[in-house]
Amino acid sequence: MKAIFRHELSSYFTNVTGYVFGAFLLLFAGIYTMAYNLHSGLANFEYVLSGMSFIFLIIVPILTMKVIAEEKRQKTDQLLYSLPLSMTKVVLGKYAALLVVFLIPTGIICLYPIILSAFGSVSFLTSYSAIIGFFLLGAALIAIGTFLSSLTESQAVAAGLCFVVMLLNYFISDLADYVSSSAFGSLAAFTLVVLALGGIFRLMTKNTFASLVLMGVLEGVLMVAYVLSGDSFAGLFPQIMEQLSLFDRFNQFVDGIFDLTSEVYFVSVIGIFLCLTVQSLEKRRWSE
């Protein structure tokens, strides 16, 4: 695992990927610090992190698009399968390297509240709470990007998928307002989710029959629940959509709420998508 970590980490700094990622993050941190704290005179550094959170939509796809997709395109993933390591350790090594690349500019950002405190009163508790939330948000998005990179051999496709998924998550709370709050509307929306899950399962397993069975079982369970308790479906899907937003969870840290539930949610998202990445690699390993 250490060898994978060192190799991945060095690869990000022997080309421009790691530098571009850090430069973009620090560039926007500087711009928003000047706009909010220096120009407007606000003492709330957490507003800087909230305002610049959209930058993840751009820099995370750039950072994660090659992590596994490029290995598959060049067939060097076969070397990973031949190593005396489990796929779990391979994925964790790659993910740890990505976190270090993210942690470096985040560590520099940690100095900003200290510097700003020389010009006025800064709430360190709120500022560093927001920084922790910012790091957890980035770590969760990087885990999602890593999984999406494992689904394809094309860096462009991986980056495109990652951007679309994160864009949907960024606006998911707003999109929830456009979903019908009726019971049937929630049922229809859940059906679309079942179809999407079936499509993802098909991409991972290349097994059409198993994907159809999965969709059939999930849709069957959904229909039984709807028949037994249709009234409980009213407004259910919009409520769930609002709870799924990683960016909304991060905004709780910005508001000064160090929410344990949100921390658990971020860690759960990281764990789930890293497990999915392991399963994606295991499937390819045994299908070769």
Side-chain angles (χ1 to χ4, degrees):
M1 179 176 167
K2 290 181 180 179
I4 296 290
F5 169 75
R6 288 195 296 267
H7 175 268
E8 290 294 314
L9 187 60
S10 65
S11 71
Y12 289 116
F13 292 102
T14 53
N15 58 46
V16 299
T17 305
Y19 299 104
V20 169
F21 178 86
F24 263 82
L25 199 58
L26 294 175
L27 172 65
F28 278 87
I31 291 173
Y32 275 86
T33 299
M34 286 191 294
Y36 282 107
N37 302 127
L38 301 182
H39 185 266
S40 299
L42 296 175
N44 305 90
F45 179 71
E46 60 271 17
Y47 293 168
V48 171
L49 300 177
S50 177
M52 62 177 283
S53 62
F54 77 93
I55 193 63
F56 282 125
L57 303 180
I58 301 172
I59 60 177
V60 169
I62 292 174
L63 181 65
T64 61
M65 64 181 182
K66 70 183 253 333
V67 61
I68 296 176
E70 183 66 8
E71 298 264 17
K72 295 169 75 172
R73 187 184 69 82
Q74 296 183 349
K75 306 301 182 184
T76 53
D77 59 330
Q78 301 301 318
L79 296 176
L80 297 178
Y81 302 145
S82 64
L83 293 175
L85 293 173
S86 66
M87 286 299 102
T88 299
K89 290 184 178 180
V90 170
V91 171
L92 288 177
K94 286 177 172 289
Y95 181 69
L98 289 168
L99 282 187
V100 170
V101 174
F102 175 43
L103 190 59
I104 292 172
T106 304
I108 296 174
I109 289 174
C110 288
L111 300 175
Y112 286 29
I114 299 174
I115 296 172
L116 291 172
S117 67
F119 302 94
S121 177
V122 176
S123 174
F124 289 112
L125 184 62
T126 306
S127 296
Y128 286 103
S129 172
I131 289 174
I132 292 173
F134 187 77
F135 178 75
L136 290 173
L137 172 63
L141 295 176
I142 288 172
I144 294 173
T146 301
F147 167 64
L148 295 173
S149 179
S150 72
L151 298 179
T152 177
E153 296 180 359
S154 169
Q155 290 189 48
V157 172
L161 280 174
C162 188
F163 175 76
V164 170
V165 169
M166 292 180 187
L167 186 66
L168 288 173
N169 194 270
Y170 188 80
F171 289 109
I172 196 169
S173 295
D174 297 323
L175 293 174
D177 296 334
Y178 295 95
V179 177
S180 173
S181 59
S182 66
F184 182 77
S186 291
L187 175 64
F190 280 123
T191 299
L192 292 176
V193 171
V194 168
L195 292 174
L197 290 174
I200 294 173
F201 189 78
R202 171 67 178 80
L203 282 173
M204 292 180 62
T205 63
K206 307 298 183 183
N207 191 322
T208 303
F209 177 73
S211 301
L212 291 174
V213 170
L214 176 64
M215 286 189 288
V217 171
L218 292 176
E219 187 64 21
V221 171
L222 191 62
M223 292 304 299
V224 169
Y226 182 74
V227 170
L228 295 177
S229 183
D231 293 340
S232 63
F233 274 69
L236 180 60
F237 190 76
Q239 292 175 14
I240 292 177
M241 286 180 67
E242 292 175 355
Q243 293 298 316
L244 289 177
S245 175
L246 291 165
F247 291 90
D248 282 357
R249 297 274 184 173
F250 163 63
N251 286 332
Q252 294 182 11
F253 288 87
V254 174
D255 293 336
I257 303 172
F258 200 77
D259 186 12
L260 181 60
T261 303
S262 295
E263 292 181 54
V264 172
Y265 180 66
F266 281 125
V267 173
S268 298
V269 168
I270 293 169
I272 289 170
F273 280 95
L274 290 182
C275 285
L276 289 173
T277 305
V278 171
Q279 293 305 311
S280 178
L281 290 178
E282 287 286 4
K283 172 62 178 63
R284 182 175 175 86
R285 180 182 192 176
W286 296 111
S287 65
E288 293 294 334

